[in-house]
Structures are given as structure tokens and as C-alpha cells.
């Protein structure tokens, strides 16, 4: 079959995309689009767009909106994929979307870079009916997110599930089988763009607080300070900008009690450090903000419980995680661990250890065992910690520090000395 | 203790007497199938109808039978009915009428080595006898052999003497009709099996026209004949060597015209050629004097010869004595009544059971959209999940299915393996045509379990099942294909709808649908789901209006297709 082409005298970007599309090489399209300059892309779309099409909306976003580099790349990659699809479909050819593969077998770990995808891709091809159904939904989702961005709205995974369900339920073989299916589609969008879904305004629940002498410009350009009171970290924190700061370090804390105590006792103010409340396993916004702070050169010290799970929490802040291996910008590799460790049992917690210890549950022990095989826990420190858990089958939590202080009156001094010592020991920061 | 008087042999001898066969049947009606009031009407119809059909076929007349059943009075559960059956056969010579209808064991078919419905000459006279015992009414028989005069007899059976007692005779004008009409009064319980019997008889006898006029307007059946071809008349054959016994051999040897034993074997037995004779000699190893004439053979020699003949390998018996319905005719008979999705028939080649040839025919009517009258859901065989209909020599068998070899074979055939699923309304017809069928009783309600029969019936059902399974599979495949086409069409249409939304125009033409192999379903999808996603016709070139009106837009003028990389042109 003869292949129809547009006449493309000058637009190099379009030629690249068209060539790659005709060869069904969507990886090449990804590279071209994510490397493209924004104004080149706008130029191409100006020439291609039709009135009231999603493509025209893409054009408007790229032309007029304030976007981070990651946001504009996400939008450009998706548009380029759609262009490729148009070229293929216009020639009655099947096409193959390529997305980064993220599983245990296809990620690599590096102590500095954390987890990263090895570059293996998985394919979805329209010549396979099941995969074509996936691509149809994906295409709908692309239109949906671009409209979301145009409207300056946000959506969540649940939003996407409902809207997909509403769209496809009436057709046989197209109904969604639970939210898991739409979640996987969003995941595919992330693996195609290789950027967080937050860049497409698909946000996670806001979780986490920040406190300290830090001034931030949010995704809409509004400036706010975190010095007067703690500020909530939204799902879009990755799009924020750190305007200025006056802290010597930032300490992300697992537990609410200790976070509030350090703030109320003015420990943070007097030591000149910032605080971040993680609230258990940190949300993506939280991790992204920590990364932004770290990039500014602020030392990060993670303060968590003393248990196999807390090790995971700390390490996800420090090294990223396997299922986010395709995303950069979610971990601060220079961060250090300030939490309770095995050595503290005989020092900071010596007097109270008997009363603050808890036995490990079966689940905890299993976690410790599994930790031994995790790539990011292979250094001597973490091996030692996990082996300690397996050997002693004991754990404790951050609240133990308050008990160790003796009385609420002595807490302030105790926290201060603890943080001073740990920051000095782990990060060489004097406060 | 009172002394008991001894009875002498002389006293006993005084009590001994010969009983007539009529008396015997009158006291043992169950032996001929009249033990229950439910069976009364179907069995009576059966006995009369088989006689009519045998007579018509022997005379070469296409049979047409009128059955009339009327209720005479109402006595709660049991009612009196008048059953009248009339045929268009050759009729019966008036002199013979009292014998045929009034004397048991009077008949023409006993011991004849060819397939026929009747065998002993009990049936129709038994009907007359039972009717008379239960109701005291006489049977009325009308017959015409020449089409001019109808002879009317009112008769009953003299039970003591096993002869007919004629009460009245008369004559009427026949008006061109030949045949027999018999009318009896029966005390019976009405049952749906009457209809079933008539339906099944019609199904297995496509050359028969049947008119049934029942109790009310709804209870009526009109089944015209579906073929004008008469079934081949079976020819009487010689006995087959595999079923020979001493007695038969002795009788044949004593009256044969052949001088030499080898000629005797070849001449008097079915399918015996020189090679069979040689084999028989081989097995005998000189135990029989080959120089003797057949009549001179002594008891040991005859016995040895019979054993050797049974042991020798012989070709299957000649099928001329059998009259199978034939696959095509069978199918004709069934299709019009049941309207199956598809139907397959299998006719096995004849086999012998103790020298008596038989053959098995099987039809499976798969997924029928019509029902047979009188055959409800409850008649589905619970094991096989299909309706099983049994026939012997073109006569349906309705009762005693528990002990029947056909039911057992059908259940063992494993129909479920052939995907003849229980939820479809499928009918299995098994017809056994044979000489001297091994019935379980004189009422001829079921065939005994005999290995040869069991094996043949099971194999026939399985063969037919395989043929049906082929259809089922091909249908499933084409269904799957159709569904696949529709599924593809929906999914790709939705994909293109979204892509079109992105592009702001219809991206693909119908060639897209053709390339993905669902172009035939596109109109249906458009109709059903309003997914109008394809360009109507391909525009000459993607010449587009400039949107912003800037100078840059002038680049895309219509131009010849630039194929920069021809290799990519065949990207598929």
C-alpha cells in the first residue's frame, strides 16, 4: 500500500516523527519529542492543528501556559505519540506503543542514582485486539488529561476510573473490570512519558507537611512561606519552585507526634532546620519536594522508627522504589538516615530500652528477611541493621525518644542533642 | 392331626387339561403388553397399525391410516374409548377375517427369515380379546378387497376354543375403498404417549400418511407422507452359518436336494463360498466323512459340523432380508417434524447375531426448534441429556426403557464428549432392523441386552455423534469469527473516535477497516452504536485549509505523493 505523507518541507521535527511512525518506532518518537524544543513543537502543531481538536488544545497549552520542563515534556511526548498514531492509522497500518518496562527484572540500582529503568520497553500493538482495546482507552485518557490541563483542573486515579467507565461501559468488551484496570492505564501513561503523572495533573492525595524558613512558589505561581506555620504538601509539589531558604538541613519525620513536638518546642527554629512530615510511607508529592530541596543543596536527614518497615520508608526517600524506577525526581540520593538504629539501643535508649521495645510480628520478620535481598539495602550499614532485627526480633518507635528524655520538661534539650549529634555524625552538619 | 388323604396319579391326571392359547393370554395379558391401563391405547394402536403397514408394504401400496379415538363415557380415572383404525391396504378376504381377528397365533410371518413388524400373529387378536374381557363389547371389522363391497363383521374371541365367534355380518358399499377398518372399545387411561407413538411411527415411516382424530379439536394430528418411495421389500434369505445349530442343520440336511456336503453348505446357507467350506473342513479335521450325503450324517457329525460352521469366518449376512429406512429417508422423516439445526444419520453395515442379521441406523437431530407432539421435557433421558427414541423394524418402542439395550448403549456412548450439550433440544433416534429381534418379552417393548446389539448400537451412536460434533465445532468457529469481527470493529472504532478527537478530523478511511478485517461489520456497528469514525471517501490529498492564515501554512499544497523511503511503504 502506498503510504500517504504530508508535504513537510521545513518542519524537521514532523519529519522525524513521520519517519519513525512509518517504521513503527515509537521509541524514536519518544526521543524526538522529549528532546524537542517547546517552540519547535508549538510551530509544528500550529501547522497541523484543526479547530477544536485536542491537538489544538495541546498547542495552546504549550504556547501559553507556565509549565515546568517535565510538564511540557509529558505533553509533547503524548502528542507526538498521537501524531504517530494518526500517521499509522491514516495509512491503515497497525501501530505499537512502547512504554518503559518497570519490574524487578528490568530495573537497575545504583547507590547514587537509586533505582532506574534499564530501558527495556513493553509494547502494545493495535493488531492485537486486547491491546487495541487498551490503546483505545489510553487514547481517551490522553484527550482527557489534555482537557484537564486546559481547564486548569486536576484529576485523581479515581476520577479517571469513573470517567473511563462512563465512556466505555456501554460498549461490549470494553467495560472496565475494576479500578485496577484504569490504574494500569495511568501507569502506562507514566511509563510512556517516563515522568510522573502529576505532570499531567493526575494527582495523588495530598499527604505531608512542611515547616521551616523556606519560601516556595507553587505550580500556579503563588508564593508562600513555610516559616509562620506548617504548609500542606500537595500532589503537585513536584512542580513547585524553591524560591529561597534559610535552613541548614531538612528533616523528614515519619511520625506526627515528633514532628509537632519539634515545631512546638521550637527545636526546629532554634537549630535552624526545616521539618517535613511524612506520615508513614511518603506520598509522591512529598518525595518530589524532598528531591527539590536536596537539589538546592540542602542536606536531608530522614527520621524514622526503628523497624524493618521504617527502613523501607527511609530508603524510598533516599533511593526511590522499584515501581517508580521509570521516574526521576522522586528520591534524594544524598539524604541520610537519622532515625533510631541498633547502635542507639545502648546509647540514647539505654535507660528505657526494656520498656520501649516491642517484639517483631511475623510480618515484620518477613520484611527484614526480604530487605536482605533488596538491592538498595546491600551496603554494610543496612545489612547490619536487618540482621540485627532478625537476630533480636525487637523494634521500637520514634516516640521512644520522648520517653528517653525522662519528662516533657526535658524533651526539648534531649531532642536538640539527639539531632545535633545525628546531623553531625551522618551529614557533617553543625547546628 | 387329621390324616391327609393322598392324591393319586390318577386323580392328578383327571385335573390335567389342555388350555387354549386365548385363555392363556386372557389370564396373562401382561405377556403381550396389556397389563396397564395407560398402555392400553398405545399398544392397541401399535398392534393394529403394524398389521396395516406390513400389509400395505407387501401389497406395494403407499399406506395411509386414519386413527379415530373417541371417549364413550366418563368413569373418573378410567374411561371407555372407542378406537377405530382404518387403512388403505389390500384388505382381507372375508373368509379369513374371523381367523385373523379372532384366533391367536394365526399369522403369516412366523419363522420367516426376513424383516417384518409382526412375528407371531398374536397382536391384533389380543386387542380384540382384551377389549372383550374388559368391556364385553365385540369388535367391528370392515374390509373391502375390491373397492365395491365392504364386508362388516361383528366378532369376538371364543376363549375356550381359541376361535372367533362371529355375531353378525353385513355388507356395505365400499365406494372405491379397499383396506381394513377395525373398531374396538377399550377401557383405558388417556396418556400423552398416544400422540408420541403416532409421531414416532410417522417419523420412522416417511412413506406413511397419518390422520389422527383424538378426543377434542386440539388432539388432532395430520402427518402427510414425506416420500413416495416405498421401502425396499425385504427378501427371505437362507440361514447364515454363524447362527447354525444342530436342530436347524438336521432339518436342512434331511430335506436338501444337494448330494455333497460342500454343495449343501454353499447351496443352503447364506454367504458360504468355497473358501468358507475349506475353512470348515480345516476346523473339522476329518471328524466328518466328506463322502457322505448330507442326510446320512449322524448326530456327532452334525454337531461337529454346526460348531465348525459357527467358528468359521464368514462374511456378514446378506442385507436383502433387511429393510433399513435409509439415511436420507430417515432424515426426511425427522426434519419436517423437528426442524433441527442440523441432522446426521448413520447406517451401519449388517451384522449377525446367532445367524440372524440385523443392522442399526442412528439419527441425531441437533438443537431442534420444534417438538414432537406428546414428547415433553420430562422425556429427556437424564443420563445422556437428549431425547432417545427407540425403533425396531420401523416400530417405535415406548415402554420398558430400563431394560433396553438401546438405552444402555446410548448412555455408554458418551454423547457429552461430542459437545451435544444437554441444554440443546436434541433427539437421538436408534432404529434396529433385523430378523428375530431378541425382545425381552412377547409384548416387544424392549430389546434384550445382547453383546452384538449393544456394540453395534453404541458404535453407530458414536459415529453419528462424531459427525454432529463436526457441525457443532464449525458453527462455534464461525460464531467466534463473527463475534471476533464485531469485537474488533467496536474496539477499533472507539480507538479511532478518540484519535479523531485528538486530530480534529477523521483520520482513517474504510481501508483501515479492511486492513484489520472488520469492514463487513462497520455498517452494523454504525447502526447499533453510532460510531461514525471512518472517512466517507478518501480526499484526493490531505490538502488543508490554513488555520492561522500565516505564511507557513502555504507549504502544504496538494502535491504528488513523495515516497522518500519506499521500503517503508510496505510496513505491514
Amino acid at each position: 500500500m502506498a503510504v500517504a505523507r504530508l508535504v513537510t518541507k521545513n518542519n524537521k521535527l514532523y519529519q522525524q516523527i513521520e519517519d519513525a511512525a512509518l517504521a513503527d518506532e515509537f521509541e524514536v518518537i519518544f526521543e524526538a519529542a522529549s528532546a524537542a524544543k517547546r517552540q519547535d513543537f508549538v510551530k509544528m502543531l500550529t501547522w497541523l492543528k484543526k479547530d477544536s481538536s485536542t491537538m489544538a488544545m495541546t498547542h495552546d497549552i504549550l504556547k501559553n501556559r507556565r509549565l515546568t520542563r517535565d510538564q511540557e515534556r509529558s505533553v509533547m511526548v503524548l502528542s507526538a505519540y498521537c501524531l504517530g498514531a494518526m500517521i499509522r492509522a491514516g495509512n491503515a497500518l497497525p501501530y505499537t506503543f512502547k512504554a518503559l518496562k518497570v519490574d524487578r527484572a528490568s530495573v537497575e540500582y545504583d547507590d547514587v542514582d537509586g533505582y532506574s529503568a534499564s530501558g527495556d520497553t513493553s509494547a502494545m500493538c493495535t493488531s492485537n485486539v486486547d491491546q487495541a482495546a487498551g490503546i483505545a482507552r489510553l487514547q481517551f485518557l490522553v484527550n482527557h488529561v489534555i482537557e484537564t490541563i486546559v481547564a486548569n483542573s486536576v484529576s485523581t486515579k479515581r476520577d479517571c476510573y469513573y470517567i473511563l467507565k462512563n465512556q466505555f461501559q456501554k460498549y461490549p468488551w470494553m467495560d472496565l473490570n475494576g479500578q485496577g484496570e484504569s490504574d494500569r492505564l495511568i501507569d502506562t501513561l507514566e511509563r510512556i512519558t517516563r515522568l510522573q503523572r502529576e505532570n499531567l495533573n493526575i494527582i495523588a492525595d495530598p499527604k505531608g507537611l512542611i515547616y521551616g524558613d523556606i519560601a516556595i512558589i507553587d505550580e500556579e505561581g503563588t508564593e508562600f512561606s513555610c516559616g509562620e506555620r506548617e504548609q500542606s504538601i500537595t500532589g503537585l509539589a513536584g512542580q513547585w519552585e524553591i524560591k529561597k531558604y534559610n535552613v541548614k538541613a531538612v528533616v523528614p519525620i515519619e511520625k506526627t507526634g515528633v514532628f509537632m513536638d519539634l515545631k512546638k518546642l521550637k527545636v526546629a527554629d532554634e537549630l535552624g532546620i526545616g521539618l517535613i512530615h511524612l506520615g508513614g510511607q511518603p506520598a509522591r508529592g512529598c518525595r518530589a519536594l524532598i528531591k527539590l530541596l536536596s537539589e538546592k543543596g540542602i542536606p536531608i536527614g530522614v527520621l524514622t522508627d526503628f523497624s524493618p518497615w521504617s527502613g523501607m520508608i527511609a530508603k524510598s526517600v533516599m533511593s526511590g522504589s522499584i515501581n517508580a524506577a521509570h521516574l526521576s525526581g522522586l528520591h534524594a540520593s544524598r539524604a541520610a538516615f537519622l532515625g533510631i538504629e541498633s547502635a542507639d539501643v545502648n546509647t540514647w535508649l539505654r535507660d528505657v530500652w526494656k520498656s520501649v521495645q516491642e517484639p517483631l510480628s511475623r510480618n515484620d520478620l518477613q520484611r527484614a528477611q526480604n530487605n536482605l535481598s533488596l538491592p538498595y539495602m546491600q551496603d554494610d550499614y543496612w545489612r547490619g541493621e536487618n540482621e540485627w532485627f532478625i537476630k533480636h526480633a525487637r523494634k521500637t518507635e520514634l516516640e521512644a525518644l520522648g520517653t528517653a528524655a525522662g519528662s516533657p520538661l526535658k524533651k526539648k534539650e534531649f531532642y536538640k542533642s539527639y539531632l545535633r549529634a545525628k546531623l553531625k555524625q551522618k551529614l557533617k552538619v553543625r547546628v | 392331626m387329621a390324616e391327609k388323604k393322598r392324591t393319586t396319579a390318577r386323580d392328578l391326571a383327571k385335573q390335567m387339561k389342555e388350555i387354549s392359547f386365548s385363555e392363556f393370554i386372557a389370564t396373562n395379558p401382561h405377556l403381550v403388553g396389556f397389563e396397564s391401563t395407560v398402555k392400553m391405547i398405545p399398544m392397541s394402536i401399535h398392534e393394529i397399525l403394524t398389521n396395516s403397514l406390513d400389509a400395505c408394504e407387501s401389497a406395494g401400496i403407499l399406506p395411509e391410516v386414519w386413527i379415530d379415538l373417541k371417549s364413550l363415557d366418563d368413569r373418573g380415572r378410567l374411561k371407555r374409548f372407542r378406537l377405530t383404525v382404518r387403512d388403505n391396504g389390500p384388505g382381507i378376504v372375508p373368509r379369513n377375517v374371523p381367523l385373523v381377528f379372532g384366533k391367536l397365533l394365526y399369522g403369516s410371518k412366523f419363522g420367516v427369515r426376513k424383516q417384518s413388524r409382526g412375528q407371531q400373529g398374536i397382536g391384533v387378536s389380543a386387542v380384540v380379546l382384551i377389549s372383550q374381557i374388559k368391556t364385553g363389547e365385540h369388535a367391528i371389522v370392515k374390509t373391502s378387497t375390491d373397492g365395491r363391497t365392504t364386508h362388516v363383521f361383528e366378532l369376538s374371541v371364543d376363549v375356550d376354543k381359541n376361535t372367533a365367534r362371529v355375531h353378525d355380518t353385513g355388507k356395505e358399499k365400499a365406494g372405491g375403498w379397499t383396506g381394513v377398518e377395525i373398531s374396538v372399545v377399550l377401557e383405558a387411561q388417556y396418556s400423552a404417549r398416544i400422540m408420541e407413538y403416532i409421531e414416532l411411527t410417522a417419523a420412522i415411516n416417511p412413506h406413511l400418511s397419518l390422520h389422527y382424530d383424538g378426543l377434542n379439536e386440539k388432539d388432532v394430528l395430520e402427518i402427510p407422507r414425506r416420500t413416495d418411495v416405498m421401502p425396499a421389500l425385504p427378501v427371505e434369505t437362507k440361514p447364515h452359518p454363524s447362527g447354525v445349530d444342530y436342530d436347524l442343520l438336521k432339518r436342512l440336511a434331511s430335506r436338501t436336494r444337494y448330494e455333497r456336503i460342500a454343495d449343501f453348505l454353499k447351496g443352503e446357507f447364506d454367504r458360504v463360498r468355497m473358501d468358507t467350506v475349506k475353512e470348515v473342513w480345516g476346523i473339522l479335521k476329518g471328524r466328518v466323512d466328506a463322502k457322505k450325503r448330507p442326510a446320512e450324517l449322524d448326530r456327532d457329525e452334525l454337531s461337529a459340523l454346526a460348531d465348525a460352521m459357527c467358528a468359521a469366518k464368514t462374511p456378514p449376512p446378506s442385507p436383502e432380508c433387511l429393510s433399513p429406512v435409509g439415511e436420507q429417508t430417515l432424515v426426511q422423516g425427522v426434519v419436517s417434524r423437528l426442524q433441527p439445526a442440523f441432522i446426521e444419520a448413520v447406517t451401519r453395515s449388517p451384522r449377525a447375531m446367532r445367524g440372524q442379521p440385523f443392522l442399526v441406523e442412528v439419527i441425531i437431530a441437533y438443537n431442534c426448534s420444534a417438538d414432537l407432539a406428546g414428547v415433553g421435557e420430562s422425556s429427556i433421558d437424564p443420563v445422556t441429556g437428549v431425547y432417545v427414541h427407540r425403533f425396531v423394524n420401523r416400530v417405535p418402542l415406548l415402554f420398558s426403557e430400563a431394560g433396553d439395550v438401546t438405552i444402555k448403549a446410548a448412555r455408554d456412548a458418551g454423547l457429552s464428549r461430542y459437545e451435544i450439550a444437554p441444554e440443546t433440544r436434541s433427539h437421538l433416534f436408534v432404529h434396529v432392523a433385523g430378523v428375530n429381534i431378541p425382545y425381552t418379552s412377547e409384548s416387544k417393548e424392549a430389546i434384550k441386552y445382547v453383546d452384538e446389539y449393544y456394540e453395534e448400537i453404541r458404535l453407530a451412536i458414536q459415529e453419528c455423534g462424531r459427525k454432529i460434533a463436526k457441525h457443532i465445532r464449525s458453527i462455534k468457529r464461525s460464531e467466534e469469527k463473527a463475534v471476533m469481527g464485531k469485537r474488533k470493529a467496536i474496539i477499533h472504532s472507539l480507538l479511532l473516535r478518540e484519535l479523531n478527537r485528538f486530530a480534529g478530523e477523521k483520520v482513517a478511511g474504510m481501508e483501515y477497516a479492511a486492513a484489520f478485517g472488520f469492514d463487513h461489520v462497520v455498517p452494523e456497528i454504525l447502526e447499533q452504536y453510532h460510531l461514525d469514525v471512518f472517512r466517507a471517501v478518501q480526499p484526493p490529498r490531505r490538502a488543508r485549509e490554513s488555520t492561522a492564515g500565516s505564511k507557513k501554512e502555504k507549504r502544504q499544497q496538494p502535491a504528488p505523493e513523495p515516497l522518500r523511503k519506499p521500503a517503508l511503504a510496505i510496513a505491514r
Side-chain angles (χ1 to χ4, degrees):
Chain A
M1 182 196 266
V3 172
R5 283 171 182 276
L6 278 177
V7 185
T8 53
K9 253 187 263 165
N10 296 326
N11 201 307
K12 218 178 131 202
L13 183 57
Y14 185 78
Q15 265 180 27
Q16 271 180 328
I17 292 174
E18 191 173 53
D19 282 347
L22 290 174
D24 202 15
E25 303 260 13
F26 277 73
E27 273 164 289
V28 178
I29 294 182
F30 167 80
E31 277 154 28
S34 70
K37 280 191 196 131
R38 189 160 157 181
Q39 62 265 37
D40 289 344
F41 213 91
V42 171
K43 214 155 80 180
M44 176 177 77
L45 291 180
T46 314
W47 157 59
L48 286 171
K49 73 183 164 109
K50 296 268 177 183
D51 284 343
S52 70
S53 65
T54 316
M55 202 197 296
M57 295 179 206
T58 315
H59 168 263
D60 296 344
I61 294 169
L62 288 174
K63 198 174 173 192
N64 306 324
R65 283 291 168 84
R66 172 184 176 276
L67 298 174
T68 64
R69 177 65 189 150
D70 282 355
Q71 277 178 297
E72 70 185 41
R73 271 171 63 197
S74 300
V75 172
M76 288 193 304
V77 168
L78 288 183
S79 312
Y81 262 54
C82 294
L83 282 178
M86 281 165 59
I87 292 163
R88 298 290 294 180
N91 287 304
L93 298 171
Y95 54 92
T96 315
F97 274 2
K98 293 277 176 65
L100 213 55
K101 221 187 205 171
V102 182
D103 52 34
R104 271 209 163 181
S106 54
V107 298
E108 291 159 354
Y109 176 75
D110 179 282
D111 277 340
V112 177
D113 296 336
Y115 279 112
S116 59
S118 64
D120 293 348
T121 52
S122 60
M124 308 169 81
C125 184
T126 53
S127 56
N128 173 312
V129 188
D130 290 326
Q131 293 174 13
I135 293 182
R137 293 185 187 131
L138 210 55
Q139 186 64 53
F140 170 80
L141 211 50
V142 169
N143 290 334
H144 174 70
V145 294
I146 287 171
E147 283 173 5
T148 307
I149 297 172
V150 166
N152 214 2
S153 158
V154 290
S155 53
T156 61
K157 282 184 167 180
R158 194 76 180 156
D159 280 334
C160 293
Y161 169 58
Y162 281 145
I163 195 138
L164 276 163
K165 188 131 178 102
N166 174 51
Q167 195 59 224
F168 290 113
Q169 199 171 31
K170 44 186 174 280
Y171 303 102
W173 304 290
M174 283 302 280
D175 193 12
L176 273 81
N177 186 18
Q179 197 188 328
E181 224 169 313
S182 76
D183 287 359
R184 274 194 292 283
L185 289 174
I186 294 165
D187 197 53
T188 307
L189 280 184
E190 271 193 346
R191 291 186 295 110
I192 285 176
T193 59
R194 309 187 187 192
L195 293 164
Q196 296 170 48
R197 61 186 153 96
E198 278 80 1
N199 293 309
L200 298 168
N201 284 16
I202 305 172
I203 57 163
D205 280 350
K207 188 165 108 178
L209 302 165
I210 179 166
Y211 175 77
D213 191 1
I214 301 165
I216 291 173
I217 301 174
D218 76 2
E219 72 276 7
E220 309 217 313
T222 316
E223 189 179 328
F224 64 92
S225 160
C226 313
E228 288 81 46
R229 57 163 296 137
E230 68 276 17
Q231 298 283 356
S232 168
I233 301 170
T234 69
L236 290 176
Q239 297 170 21
W240 292 354
E241 194 184 313
I242 311 296
K243 198 182 173 203
K244 60 177 195 231
Y245 61 93
N246 184 23
V247 288
K248 290 175 190 155
V250 168
V251 180
I253 301 163
E254 183 182 350
K255 286 282 170 67
T256 317
V258 178
F259 172 81
M260 293 308 287
D261 240 3
L262 291 181
K263 183 199 145 201
K264 292 204 94 160
L265 295 169
K266 305 269 181 221
V267 175
D269 295 347
E270 286 168 24
L271 292 182
I273 59 173
L275 303 175
I276 283 178
H277 175 232
L278 298 174
Q281 189 66 251
R284 284 178 162 201
C286 216
R287 281 161 66 183
L289 184 62
I290 294 170
K291 161 86 172 174
L292 288 179
L293 294 165
S294 173
E295 275 176 345
K296 285 278 176 190
I298 307 173
I300 310 286
V302 192
L303 187 60
T304 68
D305 292 343
F306 179 50
S307 86
W309 293 100
S310 298
M312 291 275 292
I313 292 172
K315 277 311 261 185
S316 72
V317 172
M318 293 152 70
S319 307
S321 58
I322 291 180
N323 44 21
H326 53 302
L327 309 171
S328 55
L330 282 184
H331 67 274
S333 54
R334 279 177 295 175
F337 180 69
L338 303 190
I340 304 172
E341 56 192 7
S342 53
D344 298 343
V345 170
N346 289 321
T347 52
W348 296 98
L349 298 178
R350 192 180 56 214
D351 302 335
V352 292
W353 175 241
K354 278 222 170 97
S355 38
V356 299
Q357 60 173 313
E358 287 276 319
L360 288 189
S361 68
R362 268 185 63 157
N363 209 354
D364 294 335
L365 265 177
Q366 191 70 42
R367 184 68 261 164
Q369 289 282 5
N370 290 346
N371 281 351
L372 284 176
S373 61
L374 284 179
Y376 61 25
M377 293 213 178
Q378 293 307 312
D379 56 27
D380 291 346
Y381 176 78
W382 285 106
R383 284 201 77 86
E385 290 297 296
N386 282 309
E387 277 160 10
W388 190 95
F389 285 126
I390 293 167
K391 188 178 167 197
H392 295 88
R394 289 285 180 277
K395 64 176 181 185
T396 190
E397 289 167 277
L398 270 182
E399 286 82 346
L401 292 178
T403 312
S407 105
L409 301 173
K410 297 180 190 160
K411 257 186 181 177
K412 184 173 176 180
E413 280 313 309
F414 186 83
Y415 281 141
K416 268 187 171 173
S417 52
Y418 180 88
L419 285 174
R420 265 201 193 101
K422 288 273 178 177
L423 283 167
K424 188 181 167 197
Q425 177 200 348
K426 301 280 174 97
L427 284 166
K428 315 244 177 315
V429 175
R430 288 179 180 281
V431 288
Chain B
M1 197 184 282
E3 197 184 322
K4 202 178 177 185
K5 197 190 166 199
R6 287 189 54 160
T7 316
T8 61
R10 199 182 291 267
D11 294 333
L12 285 172
K14 275 184 200 159
Q15 292 168 19
M16 286 185 194
K17 59 172 182 181
E18 189 190 2
I19 54 161
S20 84
F21 190 69
S22 302
E23 194 178 350
F24 174 68
I25 292 299
T27 41
N28 296 295
H30 63 276
L31 292 179
V32 284
F34 287 101
E35 76 276 16
S36 108
T37 50
V38 178
K39 284 163 76 177
M40 196 65 79
I41 299 172
M43 282 305 285
S44 301
I45 294 177
H46 159 77
E47 296 295 354
I48 302 169
L49 193 56
T50 48
N51 279 6
S52 292
L53 288 171
D54 276 344
C56 287
E57 281 165 24
S58 321
I61 300 168
L62 281 168
E64 183 160 10
V65 176
W66 294 262
I67 301 170
D68 187 88
L69 185 69
K70 287 290 167 282
S71 174
L72 294 179
D73 59 358
D74 197 339
R75 291 190 183 180
R77 202 168 62 90
L78 285 182
K79 289 179 182 177
R80 284 195 178 189
F81 296 94
R82 177 168 287 284
L83 172 70
T84 310
V85 182
R86 177 190 172 97
D87 67 32
N88 66 339
I92 298 171
V93 185
R95 180 160 41 91
N96 275 354
V97 169
L99 296 171
V100 171
F101 293 97
K103 190 176 176 69
L104 277 75
L105 286 179
Y106 179 90
S108 57
K109 302 157 196 164
F110 184 71
V112 177
R113 213 167 287 106
K114 68 176 186 182
Q115 173 189 337
S116 64
R117 295 179 179 86
Q119 276 174 349
Q120 283 90 356
I122 300 175
V124 76
S125 23
V127 174
V128 174
L129 176 65
I130 301 289
S131 151
Q132 149 194 345
I133 292 169
K134 297 275 181 188
T135 67
E137 299 273 351
H138 303 150
I140 296 176
V141 179
K142 298 179 181 177
T143 178
S144 163
T145 52
D146 53 8
R148 290 194 297 274
T149 321
T150 303
H151 298 266
V152 185
F153 296 82
E154 186 184 334
L155 47 80
S156 62
V157 179
D158 186 334
V159 177
D160 291 336
K161 295 180 189 151
N162 187 21
T163 53
R165 189 182 289 163
V166 178
H167 300 275
D168 198 6
T169 57
K171 285 181 187 174
E172 286 174 5
K173 277 194 176 169
W177 169 68
T178 67
V180 178
E181 180 188 304
I182 173 164
S183 173
V184 289
V185 178
L186 299 167
E187 192 173 72
Q189 207 177 326
Y190 183 81
S191 100
R193 312 214 82 171
I194 300 169
M195 285 282 236
E196 185 184 355
Y197 181 83
I198 293 171
E199 273 273 19
L200 292 177
T201 306
I204 200 77
N205 291 294
H207 60 296
L208 164 69
S209 272
L210 248 175
H211 312 275
Y212 169 68
D213 188 3
L215 300 181
N216 51 45
E217 312 84 69
K218 279 183 196 163
D219 196 23
V220 169
L221 263 181
E222 287 288 332
I223 306 174
R225 69 171 55 89
R226 280 129 289 154
T227 173
D228 286 339
V229 183
M230 289 283 286
L233 261 190
V235 185
E236 189 179 359
T237 54
K238 299 166 194 164
H240 191 265
S242 65
V244 160
D245 56 18
Y246 167 78
D247 184 60
L248 178 68
L249 202 56
K250 191 183 167 201
R251 277 190 286 130
L252 288 172
S254 63
R255 63 175 193 224
T256 182
R257 60 188 170 87
Y258 294 102
E259 296 287 315
R260 294 171 55 224
I261 293 175
D263 294 336
F264 165 66
L265 294 181
K266 284 194 281 181
E268 296 285 358
F269 293 93
D270 186 26
R271 294 288 181 127
V272 178
R273 303 280 173 273
M274 204 51 218
D275 47 349
T276 317
V277 176
K278 278 182 189 159
E279 199 186 338
V280 169
W281 286 135
I283 296 169
L284 282 171
K285 287 179 192 146
R287 273 181 288 162
V288 171
D289 186 354
K291 286 178 197 132
K292 275 190 181 172
R293 292 176 45 217
E296 293 165 4
L297 292 171
D298 62 25
R299 214 172 90 176
D300 291 344
E301 284 172 321
L302 280 173
S303 184
L305 183 58
D307 290 347
M309 286 169 75
C310 290
K313 268 187 216 144
T314 37
S318 326
E320 290 88 51
C321 59
L322 302 176
S323 168
V325 187
E327 292 181 9
Q328 215 162 2
T329 323
L330 268 178
V331 166
Q332 275 178 346
V334 170
V335 166
S336 61
R337 303 300 301 168
L338 282 175
Q339 296 162 22
F342 37 78
I343 185 164
E344 280 293 347
V346 161
T347 306
R348 301 277 296 174
S349 50
R351 288 255 329 252
M353 191 275 296
R354 304 209 312 112
Q356 311 283 13
F358 71 95
L359 66 77
V360 176
E361 293 174 291
V362 165
I363 320 181
I364 294 175
Y366 179 78
N367 204 1
C368 302
S369 42
D371 284 320
L372 289 177
V375 182
E377 294 266 333
S378 58
S379 348
I380 295 180
D381 179 56
V383 179
T384 52
V386 300
Y387 298 92
V388 181
H389 306 296
R390 300 169 290 143
F391 302 90
V392 174
N393 290 345
R394 294 169 174 255
V395 173
L397 305 185
L398 292 192
F399 303 104
S400 309
E401 47 274 274
D404 191 87
V405 66
T406 307
I407 297 286
K408 182 163 173 49
R411 290 177 176 176
D412 292 353
L415 284 178
S416 56
R417 256 208 314 268
Y418 305 113
E419 306 185 36
I420 302 167
E423 59 267 20
T424 64
R425 303 177 71 81
S426 301
H427 292 251
L428 168 67
F429 295 80
V430 179
H431 179 220
V432 178
V435 179
N436 274 0
I437 300 283
Y439 290 110
T440 51
S441 79
E442 272 319 303
S443 57
K444 301 189 204 164
E445 288 169 356
I447 308 177
K448 260 190 208 158
Y449 179 81
V450 178
D451 280 342
E452 287 91 340
Y453 277 70
Y454 170 79
E455 202 58 21
E456 275 299 298
I457 295 170
R458 193 172 56 84
L459 289 174
I461 293 172
Q462 288 176 338
E463 195 180 326
C464 200
R466 282 194 293 273
K467 282 177 157 186
I468 287 284
K470 236 183 239 173
H471 284 289
I472 297 173
R473 275 197 298 272
S474 78
I475 281 191
K476 275 197 177 160
R477 263 200 301 275
S478 61
E479 269 173 9
E480 264 165 33
K481 223 173 147 189
V483 167
M484 192 61 178
K486 204 176 162 193
R487 178 161 169 232
K488 257 191 206 168
I490 288 179
I491 286 173
H492 281 276
S493 299
L494 288 170
L495 170 65
L496 289 176
R497 184 185 71 183
E498 295 309 322
L499 199 56
N500 293 345
R501 193 147 76 91
F502 182 84
E505 63 177 340
K506 285 179 181 170
V507 170
M510 276 303 288
E511 66 274 9
Y512 181 94
F516 284 86
F518 63 86
D519 43 339
H520 57 292
V521 231
V522 169
E524 188 190 332
I525 298 303
L526 179 62
E527 169 99 355
Q528 200 176 347
Y529 298 102
H530 312 290
L531 288 171
D532 179 17
V533 294
F534 293 104
R535 279 199 305 268
V537 275
Q538 194 164 13
R541 210 32 301 140
R542 283 215 229 158
R544 54 188 73 225
E545 311 267 313
S546 65
T547 42
S550 74
K551 289 173 277 176
K552 287 171 192 167
E553 260 73 52
K554 287 179 185 158
R555 282 179 301 181
Q556 338 126 40
Q557 294 298 322
E561 196 173 297
L563 276 175
R564 285 177 300 163
K565 287 181 193 165
L568 293 172
I570 329 145
R572 263 191 302 155

